[in-house]
């Protein structure tokens, strides 16, 4: 079902150390205050954080009162352990999930029993009916392994037809890529909310590495400016904030159904954009 008002959400990774846990506690507290529609917690490549993700999701939802969605991926998972996780989450009052194929960490062998995210979505619906709101991933600049843009769209539609409730995109910095993707989705009768994924810019080298790996393009004019700042983190932060704020503004002004922030467990870059957008007093309930 489509949302009547923009849906805002914040993504975290499950921390592995005491220090990381304290940081996430502070971050989630700061972000809960703006009343997002939900939080989500990633699932480490290859299923490496299965238990950590579970524990973090349960703790976050309990401590913040914000709906918290686990990411779940097919890589190195069997039907049996996915079934177990689904029932475990359901029993703990979790009703929102992000269903993914996942990526294979280098050097790792087995893909798992489900090959693609559409098979996972089908399984979740078979196993738990309508209990979960299921998010899936979408790629306005196309998935790096897609054999063609048309095939990628067909594959995205398989996930929707299998029962996905809404989608979150890979991050991008070119709003045209998003709006063209939405037009193409409408042309094949995909009628779910597709919420743009937003990656704040705070560190150029880390961003360049992520972007190479996931196929997100950093436009040349942004790359050149960031490169020119070198080690000047303050300038990178200020420029990044300006670029991402204006991206978000354009997306919302032209009808995007919300924003999903990849927080990397940091509140400040997200809140700076949030305040620039004048969303400070927005009520999401
Ligand atoms: P799919 O939808 O299965 O697509 C993968 C590729 O296969 C695409 O090229 C597609 O065109 C093709 N394909 C799909 N279905 C078929 C089919 N039936 N037949 C033939 N080809 C097909 N990764 C993690 O490991 N953990 C996370 O927590 C995580 N969170 C993410 C959150 C978001 C919002 C996004 C956008 C990505 C996230 N990822 C995460 C990354 C994601 O797992 C990778 O991008 C992965 O490579 C693809 O996952 P998917 O669910 O989009 O796969």
């Amino acid at each position: 079902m489509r949302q009547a008002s923009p849906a805002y959400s914040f993504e975290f990774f499950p921390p592995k150390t005491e220090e990381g846990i304290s940081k996430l506690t502070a971050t989630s507290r700061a972000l809960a205050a703006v009343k997002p529609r939900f939080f989500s917690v990633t699932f480490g490549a290859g299923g490496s954080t299965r238990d950590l993700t579970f524990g973090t999701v349960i703790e976050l939802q309990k401590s913040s009162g914000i709906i918290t969605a686990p990411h779940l991926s097919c890589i190195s998972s069997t039907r049996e352990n996915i079934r177990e996780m689904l029932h475990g989450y359901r029993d703990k009052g979790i009703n929102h999930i992000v269903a993914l194929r996942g990526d294979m960490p280098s050097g790792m062998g087995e893909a798992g029993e489900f090959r693609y995210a559409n098979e996972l979505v089908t399984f979740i619906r078979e196993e738990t009916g309508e209990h979960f709101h299921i998010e899936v991933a979408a790629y306005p600049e196309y998935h790096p392994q897609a054999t063609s843009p048309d095939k990628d769209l067909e594959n995205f539609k398989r996930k929707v037809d299998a029962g996905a409730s809404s989608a979150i995109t890979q991050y991008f910095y070119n709003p045209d890529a998003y709006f063209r993707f939405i037009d193409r989705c409408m042309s094949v009768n995909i009628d779910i909310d597709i919420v743009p994924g937003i990656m704040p810019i705070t560190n150029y080298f880390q961003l360049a590495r992520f972007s190479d790996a996931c196929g997100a393009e950093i436009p040349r004019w942004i790359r050149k400016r960031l490169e020119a700042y070198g080690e000047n983190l303050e300038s990178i932060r200020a420029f990044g904030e300006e670029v991402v704020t204006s991206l978000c503004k354009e997306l919302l002004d032209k009808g995007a159904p919300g924003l999903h922030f990849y927080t990397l467990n940091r509140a400040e870059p997200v809140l700076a954009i949030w305040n620039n957008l004048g969303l400070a007093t927005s009520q999401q309930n």
Side-chain angles (χ1 to χ4, degrees):
M1 196 179 48
R2 283 182 173 267
Q3 304 287 350
S5 57
Y8 300 103
S9 48
F10 300 122
E11 178 175 313
F12 306 117
F13 60 85
K16 292 188 174 138
T17 61
E18 285 302 321
E19 194 190 343
I21 293 170
S22 309
K23 191 171 164 195
L24 179 57
T25 303
T27 296
S28 60
R29 215 170 266 158
L31 293 176
V34 304
K35 299 188 178 359
R37 187 150 285 146
F38 68 95
F39 285 154
S40 80
V41 180
T42 59
F43 194 76
S48 54
T49 66
R50 187 170 288 132
D51 294 343
L52 272 181
T53 298
F54 188 88
T56 306
V57 164
I58 306 304
E59 176 52 33
L60 262 183
Q61 179 159 299
K62 194 166 125 218
S63 62
S64 67
I66 303 289
I67 289 171
T68 303
H71 294 209
L72 192 58
S73 91
C74 310
I75 299 288
S76 75
S77 292
T78 61
R79 292 171 83 80
E80 200 38 52
N81 55 39
I82 295 219
R83 179 180 288 122
E84 235 172 68
M85 276 188 283
L86 292 173
H87 291 288
Y89 281 126
R90 192 171 63 177
D91 293 348
K92 294 280 185 188
I94 302 297
N95 62 8
H96 204 123
I97 212 158
V98 184
L100 303 146
R101 183 196 69 178
D103 281 321
M104 193 93 78
S106 51
M108 219 191 94
E110 280 303 293
E113 255 176 273
F114 300 109
R115 289 166 312 154
Y116 297 107
N118 67 293
E119 297 172 13
L120 178 60
V121 174
T122 300
F123 182 71
I124 297 172
R125 286 288 176 236
E126 280 168 7
E127 200 58 35
T128 57
E130 294 303 309
H131 175 79
F132 288 104
H133 178 110
I134 306 178
E135 307 274 355
V136 290
Y139 301 85
E141 294 175 339
Y142 306 111
H143 186 265
Q145 289 156 3
T147 50
S148 74
D150 284 351
K151 282 279 172 221
D152 210 29
L153 185 64
E154 243 174 65
N155 291 330
F156 177 55
K157 189 165 171 15
R158 283 181 213 270
K159 298 193 276 197
V160 178
D161 293 345
S165 319
S166 50
I168 303 168
T169 76
Q170 184 57 275
Y171 67 87
F172 56 87
Y173 296 103
N174 177 357
D176 286 348
Y178 172 78
F179 290 112
R180 283 177 189 274
F181 179 69
I182 296 296
D183 287 346
R184 297 191 72 227
C185 287
M186 283 167 63
S187 75
V188 295
N189 300 318
I190 291 175
D191 184 29
I192 58 168
D193 281 338
I194 301 172
V195 173
I198 303 296
M199 179 72 87
I201 300 175
T202 53
N203 176 326
Y204 173 61
F205 293 103
Q206 187 188 39
L207 182 70
R209 210 176 52 241
F210 278 175
S211 304
D212 285 347
C214 71
E217 188 176 79
I218 309 175
R220 182 180 159 83
W221 68 275
I222 298 180
R223 208 158 31 87
K224 288 284 169 196
R225 289 282 298 274
L226 291 171
E227 277 168 8
Y229 291 128
E231 302 290 317
N232 185 341
L233 292 184
E234 182 45 34
S235 297
I236 292 175
R237 189 204 55 73
F239 174 69
E241 185 182 313
E242 181 195 319
V243 166
V244 178
T245 299
S246 89
L247 170 69
C248 293
K249 182 166 182 344
E250 180 170 352
L251 291 167
L252 292 173
D253 285 351
K254 293 187 178 165
L259 300 170
H260 176 85
F261 288 92
Y262 296 104
T263 71
L264 304 180
N265 292 9
R266 294 184 58 200
E268 310 77 39
V270 175
L271 288 176
I273 297 164
W274 185 274
N275 290 329
N276 292 342
L277 290 169
L279 298 173
T281 56
S282 150
Q283 293 293 316
Q284 293 300 305
N285 295 323

